[in-house]
Amino acid sequence: MMKRFALCFLMALLLVQTAWTGGAHAAGVFDDTEGHWAEQQIEELASLGIVKRNSSHAFYPNKPITRGEALALLNRVFETAYGSLELPQRKSNLDYRFLLRGEVEQLLVNMKAIWQVETNALSSYDPGDRMLYYLYLAESGQLLKKQQKENPDWWLSSEAMQRPLTREEASLLLFHVLAPQKFRTANLKPQDAVTYFNSFYEWKQDRFYRDTYSPYPLAIREFQLFLTEKTFSPEKIMTRAEYAVVMKRLLDYYRTHMAAQFRSTVAQQQKIAQLYLRSATLALEKKQQARLAAVFAPEPLKAMTMLPQVPKYNGPVTITSKTDMNDPKILWLVGHYRDPVNGDFQVEYKLEQDASNAYGRKITAVLYSEK
């Protein structure tokens, strides 16, 4: 009897997870979302391949979303906006048996890469590692709060990743994914990052919602991802539809924020430029055709593959930016690449406004020169 129950539970779980892991080619309207209050947001995520249609054509909008599914979706939203920023690395604290492990590990390296760009690689803080550690605390029944003594052998099991996600846990995940933006708006120096984020872990931030002392819901309130006023319902389980709506709002935030960063200060412009070129060159290295089409016009893409020296996504480079002398809407990014073996070289990228990606720019020309 117990074996039959376990088998049924596993089959139900796999049915739910295939909506997140199934093939993207059939993405579209799900049979069980027509007329649903979140139908529009789910449809848009499906059209972008962020959620995937399975053989049963079901999304299960009112079922709980699991922690692992939530993390995988976060990475898909992140990569839809920024693209991949780093090659995945094995995370020893995460159960190798977990079905969506690869996407979670990709999220962790993406988070670390954008954090390093934002802080000029001067901060030892790792938002992805901290995110998983505090999720581990939630799994062990503890408050999402800094302990007097941290467990160095913490480990998240596959079972833990398949448990339903609460709203407080969702706010914790989003708090860490948005750590670079929190760091920037707090106007911090990189060496102050650990102290700043510890103030959240120690729950020393102001309280806002009536029903929770947790600092994470208030910390992400500025991003308008949860439209709640006086109460947050931190222990409430999130449905798949509710989480999809939050992901759509996060994607909208990225689209607005990233394009605006190109119009911001020179320092911020150069940081978003680093992310743009990092994602573009990694897409070139991995031959990600859809991403390449979004960030390169056909001619410069062809030219990139024929350069005497092709830039590496994580190679030593200094990025500067300048406005085109004849058209203020055109931006030039100048990458100075250091190569001790073959000699230093420079690539100038012409960026014109384009709505096909969240950066709001597309590379329409490249100029190569040796230094």
Side-chain angles (χ1 to χ4, degrees):
M1 183 70 179
M2 287 298 293
K3 288 183 178 179
R4 183 182 300 174
F5 173 80
L7 179 61
C8 291
F9 175 79
L10 179 60
M11 291 178 65
L13 179 64
L14 289 174
L15 274 174
V16 172
Q17 288 201 341
T18 49
W20 307 88
T21 59
H25 66 280
V29 179
F30 295 93
D31 291 346
D32 58 353
T33 59
E34 186 175 356
H36 193 278
W37 64 269
E39 178 184 6
Q40 182 178 344
Q41 292 89 341
I42 295 169
E43 275 190 48
E44 180 166 345
L45 295 183
S47 71
L48 295 169
I50 294 173
V51 297
K52 326 270 181 161
R53 193 174 182 183
N54 57 32
S55 58
S56 66
H57 300 175
F59 182 76
Y60 309 101
N62 300 320
K63 287 185 176 292
I65 186 167
T66 68
R67 295 161 171 171
E69 290 168 342
L71 287 166
L73 224 69
L74 265 177
N75 186 60
R76 294 179 198 174
V77 169
F78 183 97
E79 293 199 341
T80 297
Y82 286 100
S84 297
L85 299 178
E86 182 60 85
L87 295 174
Q89 298 175 5
R90 181 75 177 92
K91 181 68 174 174
S92 61
N93 309 82
L94 184 59
D95 194 336
Y96 69 91
R97 297 168 297 180
F98 177 53
L99 181 64
L100 301 176
R101 184 193 72 249
E103 293 193 76
V104 176
E105 290 171 342
Q106 183 66 61
L107 174 63
L108 298 179
V109 295
N110 284 333
M111 290 171 64
K112 189 170 186 177
I114 192 174
W115 175 257
Q116 289 179 333
V117 168
E118 184 61 41
T119 62
N120 298 313
L122 296 175
S123 172
S124 61
Y125 180 71
D126 186 338
D129 178 81
R130 294 296 81 193
M131 176 181 71
L132 282 196
Y133 178 72
Y134 283 89
L135 201 57
Y136 152 77
L137 291 185
E139 168 61 17
S140 56
Q142 302 177 64
L143 290 175
L144 307 186
K145 187 176 182 181
K146 187 176 177 66
Q147 301 168 300
Q148 289 185 346
K149 185 177 181 181
E150 185 169 318
N151 177 12
D153 300 318
W154 65 274
W155 191 68
L156 270 172
S157 67
S158 179
E159 291 79 7
M161 296 296 278
Q162 292 170 16
R163 297 196 203 288
L165 182 82
T166 68
R167 285 169 60 89
E168 183 188 14
E169 291 168 356
S171 70
L172 173 83
L173 304 186
L174 290 159
F175 168 75
H176 287 90
V177 167
L178 292 165
Q181 289 77 15
K182 293 294 295 182
F183 172 86
R184 187 183 313 147
T185 56
N187 196 25
L188 298 171
K189 296 179 180 179
Q191 57 266 33
D192 297 329
V194 173
T195 300
Y196 173 71
F197 285 97
N198 274 341
S199 70
F200 289 93
Y201 300 142
E202 294 167 356
W203 289 28
K204 292 182 179 179
Q205 295 289 324
D206 293 336
R207 178 187 182 185
F208 178 82
Y209 294 103
R210 295 175 179 174
D211 56 352
T212 181
Y213 287 96
S214 172
Y216 309 112
L218 175 57
I220 64 169
R221 192 170 187 268
E222 64 183 284
F223 303 106
Q224 294 292 295
L225 303 176
F226 292 84
L227 304 182
T228 53
E229 290 301 323
K230 297 179 181 179
T231 58
F232 190 76
S233 305
E235 297 181 3
K236 184 176 181 291
I237 298 298
M238 291 199 74
T239 67
R240 294 160 60 82
E242 290 169 340
Y243 193 77
V245 170
V246 171
M247 290 297 96
K248 172 59 168 59
R249 291 172 185 158
L250 177 63
L251 181 60
D252 289 344
Y253 167 77
Y254 278 146
R255 286 168 169 166
T256 301
H257 165 76
M258 292 166 63
Q261 208 173 338
F262 271 116
R263 303 187 297 269
S264 186
T265 65
V266 172
Q268 286 305 316
Q269 191 177 85
Q270 291 182 355
K271 286 177 179 178
I272 193 68
Q274 286 186 60
L275 297 174
Y276 188 104
L277 293 183
R278 187 181 181 95
S279 69
T281 49
L282 181 55
L284 191 65
E285 183 174 314
K286 295 174 68 176
K287 297 181 173 59
Q288 297 173 327
Q289 298 304 321
R291 190 68 193 176
L292 290 171
V295 295
F296 283 100
E299 286 303 314
L301 176 57
K302 182 179 179 181
M304 284 291 292
T305 63
M306 300 175 66
L307 293 181
Q309 298 179 79
V310 178
K312 296 184 181 296
Y313 79 94
N314 61 348
V317 59
T318 302
I319 305 293
T320 57
S321 60
K322 60 182 181 181
T323 303
D324 189 271
M325 294 178 60
N326 300 315
D327 188 343
K329 293 183 180 180
I330 295 176
L331 186 69
W332 286 88
L333 303 181
V334 183
H336 301 267
Y337 298 92
R338 296 183 295 279
D339 189 331
V341 177
N342 300 308
D344 297 351
F345 64 101
Q346 175 178 293
V347 181
E348 296 182 57
Y349 305 86
K350 182 181 181 182
L351 268 65
E352 297 190 55
Q353 293 183 352
D354 189 280
S356 63
N357 61 69
Y359 292 99
R361 304 266 178 168
K362 177 173 279 191
I363 299 171
T364 58
V366 293
L367 302 175
Y368 171 89
S369 61
E370 296 180 356
K371 305 297 290 183

